[in-house]
């Protein structure tokens, strides 16, 4: 399964060609992402907070988007309610902040707010200079053409290799509203009900 997953990552990395550029502006130079964490004997919840940005209205909007989309309050309440014999809960994140472009992906694994075991990925992408969220339409000059090509490759070359280790193995359509950016790649995260292993882990494509 690791070989197939690695091949999927390489395939999408080759196909992706995007450019999200913020206008030259020094106002984001002091902006930084810092962790906020709560933990107990059953797990931990760690999430990112944007600090130091001169435009406090944008900073507040970003932090609210992260808190709400990643269901941080619900995860904190779940963590406080965990008991012996449960699944536990681990919420972590990864982030990139470069040239005014912020991308955050929050991963939660264990007991979900619904009371069931699962894994979710929640992403927030912002152009701090313009103060606007980054959408998938900003990544490609021809969005439909790019996704048609990527999804065709997934169906023809990757889907046939998926094994019995998968609980859900529907690779297409690629989810367009949940992605994480780095300076040279983008990862699309699948919902658990679309792409996940028998162990409960859901996946993403880079």
């Amino acid at each position: 399964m690791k070989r197939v997953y690695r091949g999927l990552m390489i395939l999408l990395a080759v196909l992706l060609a995007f450019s999200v550029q913020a206008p030259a502006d020094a106002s984001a130079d002091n902006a930084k992402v810092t962790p906020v964490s709560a933990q107990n004997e059953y797990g931990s919840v760690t999430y990112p907070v944007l600090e130091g940005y001169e435009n406090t209205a944008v900073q507040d909007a970003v932090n609210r988007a992260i808190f709400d989309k990643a269901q941080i309050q619900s995860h904190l309440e779940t963590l406080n309610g965990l008991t012996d014999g449960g699944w536990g809960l681990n919420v972590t994140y990864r982030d990139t902040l470069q040239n005014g472009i912020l991308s955050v992906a929050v991963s939660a694994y264990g007991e979900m707010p619904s009371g069931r075991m699962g894994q979710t990925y929640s992403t927030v992408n912002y152009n701090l200079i313009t103060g606007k969220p980054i959408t998938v339409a900003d990544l490609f000059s021809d969005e439909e053409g790019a996704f048609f090509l990527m999804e065709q490759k997934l169906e023809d070359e990757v889907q046939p290799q998926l094994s019995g280790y998968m609980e859900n193995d529907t690779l297409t359509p690629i989810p367009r509203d949940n992605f994480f950016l780095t300076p040279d790649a983008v990862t699309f995260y699948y919902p658990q009900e679309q792409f996940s292993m028998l162990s409960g882990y859901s996946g993403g494509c880079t």
Side-chain angles (χ1 to χ4, degrees):
M1 181 60 208
K2 289 183 178 180
R3 180 177 61 84
V4 174
Y5 187 76
R6 189 177 302 113
L8 177 59
M9 292 167 56
I10 294 172
L11 170 65
L12 287 178
V14 170
L15 290 172
L16 289 169
F18 65 91
S19 178
V20 178
Q21 298 292 335
D25 192 316
S27 65
D29 288 352
N30 294 325
K32 62 180 180 179
V33 178
T34 59
V36 175
S37 185
Q39 59 184 10
N40 60 27
E41 59 185 308
Y42 304 110
S44 63
V45 174
T46 302
Y47 61 95
V49 172
L50 180 67
E51 295 182 341
Y53 188 37
E54 293 180 7
N55 191 327
T56 55
V58 172
Q59 178 173 279
D60 290 346
V62 169
N63 287 332
R64 175 51 59 186
I66 294 171
F67 197 84
D68 289 348
K69 188 172 183 181
Q71 297 184 286
I72 299 302
Q73 184 61 43
S74 294
H75 287 311
L76 289 171
E77 293 172 0
T78 298
L79 179 67
N80 289 333
L82 294 176
T83 58
D84 291 336
W87 292 296
L89 176 63
N90 186 32
V91 177
T92 60
Y93 74 91
R94 57 190 296 216
D95 72 89
T96 58
L97 175 56
Q98 184 171 331
N99 299 324
I101 302 300
L102 171 68
S103 187
V104 169
V106 178
S107 168
Y109 182 78
E111 185 166 322
M112 297 291 100
S114 64
R116 302 180 65 180
M117 189 273 185
Q119 181 174 30
T120 62
Y121 292 95
S122 306
T123 64
V124 171
N125 300 280
Y126 255 85
N127 184 323
L128 299 183
I129 308 305
T130 65
K132 296 180 180 180
I134 298 169
T135 68
V136 74
D138 299 316
L139 307 184
F140 303 96
S141 58
D142 180 3
E143 177 185 346
E144 295 304 323
F147 276 89
F148 174 81
L149 179 59
M150 289 189 290
E151 290 172 354
Q152 185 177 52
K153 290 288 186 180
L154 288 174
E155 290 177 349
D156 293 345
E157 300 179 17
V158 178
Q159 187 79 53
Q161 301 182 56
L162 295 179
S163 71
Y165 292 102
M166 306 303 298
E167 180 178 19
N168 302 297
D169 60 358
T170 305
L171 292 176
T172 59
I174 297 172
R176 302 190 189 189
D177 60 349
N178 207 28
F179 60 89
F180 175 74
L181 298 170
T182 66
D184 55 4
V186 58
T187 299
F188 295 95
Y189 289 108
Y190 286 86
Q192 188 174 19
E193 62 270 17
Q194 182 179 349
F195 186 74
S196 62
M197 292 182 286
L198 292 173
S199 62
Y201 285 99
S202 55
C205 303
T206 300

